[in-house]
Amino acid sequence: MQASAAPQVRTLLFTDMVDSTHLVERLGDAPAADLFRAHDRIVLELQQRWRGRLIDRSDGLLLIFERPIDGLGFALDYMRGLRELGQQLQLTQALQARAGLHVGEVLLWENDAEAVRQGAKSLEVEGLAKPLAARLMNLARPGQILLSATAEPLAHRAARELGERGDTLVWKAYGRWRFKGVPEAQDVSEVGEPGLAPLRMPAHTPKAWRDLPLWRRPVALAVEAVMVLAIAAGVWFLMHPAPALAFNERDWVVVGDLRNLTGDPRLDDTLEQAFMISLEQSRYVNILSDLKVRETLQRMQRPANAQVDRTNGSEIALRDGARALLLPTVAEVGGRLRVSVEVIDPYTQATVYAVTADGKGIDSALSLIDEVTDQLRAKLGEALDNVQKTSVPLPDVSTPNLDALKAYAIGRRQYIADDKKQALAFYQRAYQLDPGFALAHLDAGNAYASYGDFPSALLEFKAASRLRSRLSPREALQLDATLARLGPPGPAMQRWQQLVALYPDQLRAHLVLGQLELFDANRADLALADAKAASVPQNEDRGSAMYLQGMALLAQQKFAEAIRQFVAARRDGETGAVYSYAYVYAAQRQWPDALRVVAMRKPTGSQVGELEVKQQAALLAMDRGHWGDALGDAQDAAARSNQLEPVYMGPENAIRLLAMQLLAGTHSQAEQAGMLADAMRQAASRMRLATDDTDRINQANQIQALAVLAARNGTPTLVQQAITSVEAWPSYTGYPLTVQMQLVLHAELDRLQGRAPDAVRRLQPLASRPDALVTVHSALLHALQATGNDAGVLEQADWLVRNRGAAYMDPGLSGFLQPLSVADTTLAHLDAALARSRRNQPAQAAKEREAFLRAWPLAQLPESIRERLARLTP
């Protein structure tokens, strides 16, 4: 053996997988072996990434590193890797480990080859640093990384080397601890990522305990000390001004659970909800929503019924970027009702100041809430005249009936717990108790809309609108925007823009506006700005906002940025559909990665979910040139969708199938025209019978999509019929993308009737607009071909090739034409090759032909496309 000549300073990391023995028992030997093999692959990859050396392993790991930041990087990635592995294997419990990181002197020596053959480790590590690192690991909670006093400052200073993640880490100090077998008390700290790490004080164990000061140990001395401190605190509070809290306009607050010390159960939920309604009238203060608070508690691994008290509320505020915690209390003092609110600094958990109001009896409760809210807003820095202008008495913006308010508050709690139907019952009870309770009607409408009952939702929204004088200005704006969303997108976007202009931190409004801008206006640039505004820690729908960012970036061909947003969205809990995430890779023709992302989609168990899988499989197969698979999956999706709700899925999949059949040339021109005519007659009939504009616009879009296919099929009579059917409904002009498609159909009719120059004149101004659909560029290319303008053809073909992300995200006609748009980005190579050939540019034509055949292999090409390709064959 060769021992080191002197002790060497090294970073030691101990880890231990939580409940690994029970995990093996639950899984069985073979699945457990697969899990541990996957685990070992993670460890090996992280060793190489962070330059670590594995010394020992059993249930856990011992590694050494040259630098503390490398050990920390390994630990952070290991925690995340375990979590993702558990999700991939669909384990019922999270896969977690404990970790302890320490820097100290150790002795190192290499065992000789014979000893290693006999089972010894190749490298031995000994020294006091080793048991201390092990003690830290044993003290840690599941998912927790604890650091010694020597490791923490070294790792903290180098955290910038971890990139953007280093800025989001939370560092917490837990004071001095005693460890069995270690002579001196040790300072212990934690570092972790919000949402992954517990970020909580470790629990005492037989081998580790807090090193408390002497005065805190004996019970009698502790009681005396507390009494002295209480008296001193009272004197200080009376004699000194309250410390300042650096609160700025539009800062966020967490509202804790109300403490009801009166014993009257009517006030339990009622006054807490009243306080929220009253404070929400302010544009100066932003309140973290109930949904976000409960979501953060879940990430903190607290039970579902955990109280938002001083400790939990402060941690929520720190995690979610809130500046203060507000703790409301109602009590009976001297025969009078007292409502008070403490303002807590979450960094110190100290009360900065408190506001109170006293009244006579329970009937004064709502006026007391208004009084303390006005005091609080002024204390936080809001201008007094603004408080007076925007503070409307609670009975005027909610209800004077405490029983109705309690029913409403319980409904809110049920809604947060995701029991929407139970919430609806309480909202209905609330407005039965007070028929003028507009807010209860508004939230009942939201509950109906959340599970797809839009007719009932509309009735509730209209009832709230009739009572709009009983809504606060913010809620009235929200109601107007919600109602506008059920109509044409232009007025709807104006309403949501007004809402975010007046209330810039109305996060849901930014998200809804971004969705309208992307899907109803084809403005990915505007959608990206609003999605970014909604992607803040305070938003309970942050994952959805980041996913929307990814979609907008995909539409702008910003693939690397889009991938980062999709990954971040999944980390934040957005684990639903993965289609757009897969499309980022598909748009770059990175098929292994695209299919890997598709495989991440969790089965929903619903028929609609499985139908969407088939729909996506058909699209990706077609784009890879696997035409047999694509047509089979499209036929399967069309057949299944006819038996399913919602009813729009049947026509949608039928049109997508018709598009693929047209591209593949599976039917003659006459047969294709007959199928398109039948589908168009059915859509026109449904449009005439439609009872609302939402249904009418859907049928109009189906007619337009079928007309685009008819134009490709060379059937002008169907194009003319479609134009006439849509223009018989004048309200179509309120839908910008529908207007675009009408211009496309007029241009296609011009082209088919021999007026190609007129078609070009119609389409060129439209193609230059930032909201132009992919279908516009495809139609312009065909019109330019008809005029013999090869330079123009090459320009449009180049646009299509460079904008595959836009083709995948193209919102035109609700996705009916998505297969056609995506196919056009590949056919553009063929169009460019033919144009190059006509311009006597054989080398460039050959390059375009090669690019086309790389995308769609010759062996699987449909005959109709082979015929076009044959024109290039020498």
Side-chain angles (χ1 to χ4, degrees):
M1 294 183 290
Q2 297 177 342
S4 58
Q8 301 179 44
V9 176
R10 291 289 185 273
T11 298
L12 286 84
L13 175 67
F14 270 89
T15 72
D16 180 45
M17 192 182 295
V18 177
D19 289 336
S20 57
T21 303
H22 292 154
L23 184 63
V24 173
E25 292 174 356
R26 288 199 310 271
L27 294 178
D29 290 339
D34 291 339
L35 183 150
F36 286 114
R37 277 193 289 270
H39 167 272
D40 291 348
R41 287 193 292 272
I42 293 172
V43 172
L44 179 60
E45 192 246 331
L46 294 182
Q47 270 184 262
Q48 295 168 347
R49 182 187 305 169
W50 296 106
R51 300 167 290 281
R53 182 163 182 181
L54 182 62
I55 303 301
D56 198 4
R57 64 176 305 140
S58 53
D59 287 344
L61 307 171
L62 166 59
L63 301 102
I64 60 170
F65 301 82
E66 291 292 330
R67 302 170 64 234
I69 192 62
D70 291 334
L72 177 58
F74 180 103
L76 291 167
D77 284 348
Y78 180 65
M79 294 297 186
R80 185 174 290 282
L82 285 182
R83 174 172 170 164
E84 291 174 353
L85 177 60
Q87 291 172 344
Q88 290 170 13
L89 299 177
Q90 298 182 1
L91 301 180
T92 56
Q93 293 183 346
L95 198 57
Q96 294 179 302
R98 301 178 175 87
L101 191 71
H102 177 49
V103 176
E105 292 186 338
V106 292
L107 290 170
L108 305 173
W109 67 87
E110 300 275 353
N111 284 314
D112 58 35
E114 180 58 30
V116 173
R117 279 196 296 273
Q118 295 296 323
K121 293 171 288 196
S122 60
L123 181 68
E124 297 282 359
V125 177
E126 290 299 340
L128 183 58
K130 183 177 175 182
L132 179 53
R135 291 283 190 268
L136 282 168
M137 179 267 291
N138 288 323
L139 175 63
R141 294 178 181 274
Q144 192 168 49
I145 303 169
L146 294 183
L147 298 84
S148 68
T150 53
E152 191 275 341
L154 295 170
H156 203 159
R157 280 199 296 270
R160 63 183 180 278
E161 296 180 29
L162 299 174
E164 293 181 358
R165 180 172 57 171
D167 297 331
T168 64
L169 293 177
V170 175
W171 303 76
K172 302 194 75 172
Y174 296 134
R176 296 176 66 79
W177 288 69
R178 292 274 180 185
F179 295 96
K180 187 175 181 180
V182 179
E184 298 294 330
Q186 304 290 325
D187 285 302
V188 174
S189 300
E190 179 186 5
V191 61
E193 297 182 71
L196 287 178
L199 300 174
R200 294 173 59 196
M201 175 86 70
H204 288 211
T205 73
K207 295 184 179 181
W209 56 92
R210 289 283 305 280
D211 186 37
L212 298 175
L214 181 64
W215 60 270
R216 289 184 62 187
R217 293 182 190 173
V219 175
L221 287 177
V223 171
E224 290 175 12
V226 170
M227 291 175 64
V228 170
L229 287 171
I231 293 169
V235 172
W236 182 90
F237 187 81
L238 291 172
M239 300 296 293
H240 293 268
L245 181 74
F247 195 92
N248 298 307
E249 185 174 4
R250 294 173 55 193
D251 273 349
W252 292 80
V253 298
V254 175
V255 175
D257 290 333
L258 177 131
R259 289 185 302 163
N260 180 10
L261 306 180
T262 67
D264 190 331
R266 288 177 295 174
L267 302 180
D268 285 342
D269 297 299
T270 308
L271 292 196
E272 183 179 323
Q273 191 63 56
F275 178 57
M276 296 277 282
I277 294 170
S278 184
L279 189 56
E280 281 173 346
Q281 295 183 56
S282 172
R283 296 185 202 170
Y284 186 87
V285 181
N286 286 312
I287 306 173
L288 209 65
S289 71
D290 292 338
L291 279 169
K292 181 60 181 176
V293 167
R294 290 296 151 187
E295 175 192 289
T296 304
L297 278 172
Q298 186 177 11
R299 289 172 182 249
M300 289 161 55
Q301 300 178 357
R302 301 295 196 273
N305 60 349
Q307 290 290 302
V308 184
D309 53 15
R310 187 180 298 259
T311 301
N312 285 338
S314 294
E315 186 169 342
I316 291 167
L318 292 174
R319 283 172 175 256
D320 292 333
R323 187 63 194 89
L325 166 67
L326 309 181
L327 292 180
T329 301
V330 58
E332 196 169 355
V333 180
R336 293 174 65 79
L337 193 68
R338 172 171 292 175
V339 174
S340 62
V341 178
E342 293 178 83
V343 179
I344 311 298
D345 184 341
Y347 289 94
T348 63
Q349 297 189 18
T351 298
V352 181
Y353 45 75
V355 292
T356 63
D358 292 349
K360 187 175 180 180
I362 196 170
D363 292 337
S364 67
L366 295 184
S367 62
L368 296 179
I369 290 288
D370 281 329
E371 188 176 338
V372 295
T373 302
D374 289 352
Q375 291 180 47
L376 179 64
R377 290 169 62 180
K379 281 274 192 181
L380 291 173
E382 187 171 357
L384 187 59
D385 62 338
N386 192 55
V387 174
Q388 293 170 344
K389 285 178 185 176
T390 60
S391 181
V392 182
L394 267 169
D396 294 345
V397 293
S398 60
T399 175
N401 187 318
L402 287 180
D403 291 329
L405 190 55
K406 184 174 181 65
Y408 174 79
I410 295 171
R412 286 289 306 155
R413 287 199 179 275
Q414 294 295 329
Y415 193 93
I416 292 164
D418 207 29
D419 189 346
K420 305 295 194 301
K421 294 194 175 181
Q422 188 67 21
L424 181 60
F426 279 102
Y427 293 147
Q428 290 169 336
R429 177 61 179 159
Y431 63 64
Q432 287 166 1
L433 290 166
D434 177 5
F437 196 173
L439 194 56
H441 281 290
L442 178 57
D443 277 13
N446 289 328
Y448 275 124
S450 69
Y451 55 83
D453 187 351
F454 295 107
S456 297
L458 183 58
L459 291 175
E460 294 287 1
F461 291 146
K462 287 181 176 178
S465 186
R466 289 192 294 272
L467 299 166
R468 63 184 302 108
S469 62
R470 291 276 299 275
L471 291 171
S472 70
R474 180 189 301 220
E475 286 151 356
L477 271 175
Q478 287 176 333
L479 174 60
D480 290 341
T482 301
L483 283 168
R485 196 182 181 191
L486 301 174
M493 283 190 286
Q494 289 177 1
R495 288 292 190 181
W496 289 99
Q497 285 163 352
Q498 289 172 6
L499 187 55
V500 299
L502 288 170
Y503 301 95
D505 296 303
Q506 189 77 10
L507 302 178
R508 179 175 172 270
H510 280 291
L511 181 57
V512 172
L513 182 56
Q515 291 167 342
L516 286 166
E517 288 161 341
L518 183 61
F519 301 120
D520 293 276
N522 198 31
R523 289 298 303 270
D525 54 337
L526 301 179
L528 181 60
D530 279 299
K532 282 182 177 178
S535 299
V536 294
Q538 295 84 11
N539 189 2
E540 70 268 15
D541 287 327
R542 185 187 186 193
S544 299
M546 289 189 291
Y547 202 88
L548 182 63
Q549 275 196 67
M551 298 167 86
L553 289 163
L554 168 58
Q556 297 177 78
Q557 330 313 314
K558 297 176 181 177
F559 301 129
E561 295 175 60
I563 288 170
R564 283 195 291 272
Q565 290 303 320
F566 287 132
V567 170
R570 289 187 67 80
R571 284 180 179 170
D572 203 68
E574 180 66 23
T575 57
V578 295
Y579 306 133
S580 298
Y581 187 5
Y583 293 160
V584 179
Y585 292 110
Q588 301 172 82
R589 302 194 191 276
Q590 296 177 3
W591 297 114
D593 286 325
L595 298 177
R596 171 183 58 81
V597 172
V598 170
M600 290 164 52
R601 185 183 186 276
K602 294 181 179 179
T604 62
S606 73
Q607 290 179 304
V608 171
E610 297 312 305
L611 176 62
E612 290 172 343
V613 170
K614 280 288 181 186
Q615 192 181 76
Q616 186 191 46
L619 179 66
L620 296 181
M622 181 206 73
D623 198 20
R624 300 198 322 272
H626 297 179
W627 284 92
D629 293 340
L631 289 166
D633 285 330
Q635 286 170 340
D636 191 8
R640 291 189 191 189
S641 61
N642 286 325
Q643 285 80 43
L644 294 181
E645 294 286 345
V647 294
Y648 67 79
M649 295 198 74
E652 176 185 340
N653 282 287
I655 294 171
R656 292 171 74 95
L657 174 60
L658 285 168
M660 289 191 186
Q661 289 172 335
L662 177 68
L663 289 163
T666 57
H667 298 84
S668 70
Q669 183 185 26
E671 290 171 333
Q672 193 80 37
M675 292 187 293
L676 291 169
D678 286 343
M680 194 177 292
R681 275 194 297 272
Q682 293 173 27
S685 175
R686 290 192 297 268
M687 185 175 176
R688 287 192 297 271
L689 297 173
T691 57
D692 60 73
D693 285 356
T694 302
D695 193 14
R696 286 190 193 93
I697 194 61
N698 184 269
Q699 303 305 327
N701 289 342
Q702 290 178 35
I703 292 168
Q704 290 179 320
L706 291 163
V708 170
L709 299 181
R712 292 289 183 96
N713 191 54
T715 316
T717 53
L718 291 181
V719 179
Q720 181 63 70
Q721 287 176 24
I723 292 171
T724 303
S725 294
V726 173
E727 291 180 356
W729 175 50
S731 297
Y732 87 89
T733 55
Y735 297 82
L737 301 187
T738 307
V739 171
Q740 271 199 54
M741 290 305 302
Q742 282 297 97
L743 289 171
V744 168
L745 294 183
H746 279 287
E748 290 284 46
L749 190 60
D750 285 339
R751 176 179 65 83
L752 292 169
Q753 294 180 344
R755 301 185 300 275
D758 291 343
V760 172
R761 282 191 290 272
R762 284 184 191 271
L763 292 172
Q764 278 183 328
L766 185 56
S768 65
R769 284 170 29 182
D771 63 340
L773 296 165
V774 173
T775 307
V776 172
H777 291 275
S778 296
L780 179 55
L781 184 148
H782 296 139
L784 290 164
Q785 282 176 331
T787 64
N789 185 344
D790 285 331
V793 169
L794 290 172
E795 182 182 352
Q796 293 306 311
D798 180 64
W799 189 95
L800 289 166
V801 168
R802 288 186 294 102
N803 284 272
R804 281 175 52 78
Y808 268 103
M809 278 308 303
D810 193 23
L813 307 186
S814 306
F816 298 137
L817 293 179
Q818 187 187 35
L820 193 65
S821 294
V822 170
D824 281 346
T825 65
T826 299
L827 290 169
H829 284 295
L830 191 52
D831 292 318
L834 291 166
R836 295 287 185 190
S837 180
R838 288 190 295 269
R839 290 164 68 91
N840 197 24
Q841 298 172 335
Q844 293 95 323
K847 285 182 180 179
E848 295 287 359
R849 182 179 185 277
E850 289 168 9
F852 173 75
L853 290 174
R854 280 196 302 271
W856 287 355
L858 180 62
Q860 299 188 48
L861 275 182
E863 189 60 36
S864 61
I865 300 176
R866 283 174 184 254
E867 291 173 2
R868 291 182 62 189
L869 184 65
R871 300 178 205 168
L872 288 169
T873 304

